[in-house]
Amino acid sequence: MKGNPEERAVRLGEFIAETGATVRDTAKKFGISKSTVHKDVSERLRAMGSPLYEEVKKVLEYNKSQRHIRGGIATREKYHREARHPHAG
């Protein structure tokens, strides 16, 4: 995803605002690093004065508040998989 960083920031911001995607999911979808996504949607959108910045900020704050819950679910699922297949891996 090369090109104009400001255009990229808008595309990433629109994707996050429309889908509620996490930074990690957005990075995977667009084939770029999480740090690039974060820089684009937090720093570039704010510097551009884009109204999209506030929408994206709300989604990122919500995702951050839910992170510990998703982590707990992932850990629980990992141990359930290991209990069913104790010699796998």
Side-chain angles (χ1 to χ4, degrees), residues 32-65:
I32 57 179
S33 72
K34 293 182 298 183
S35 58
T36 299
V37 172
H38 196 271
K39 181 178 183 94
D40 282 355
V41 299
S42 59
E43 295 177 21
R44 289 194 209 283
L45 287 179
R46 183 175 56 215
M48 293 164 51
S50 173
L52 185 57
Y53 169 74
E54 289 299 325
E55 291 180 54
V56 171
K57 183 178 169 189
K58 287 177 188 171
V59 173
L60 295 182
E61 287 173 355
Y62 174 78
N63 287 342
K64 187 174 181 181
S65 76

Side-chain angles (χ1 to χ4, degrees), residues 67-79:
R67 184 173 54 194
H68 68 286
I69 295 169
R70 288 191 307 272
I73 291 168
T75 301
R76 184 179 66 216
E77 290 172 357
K78 173 186 172 190
Y79 286 108

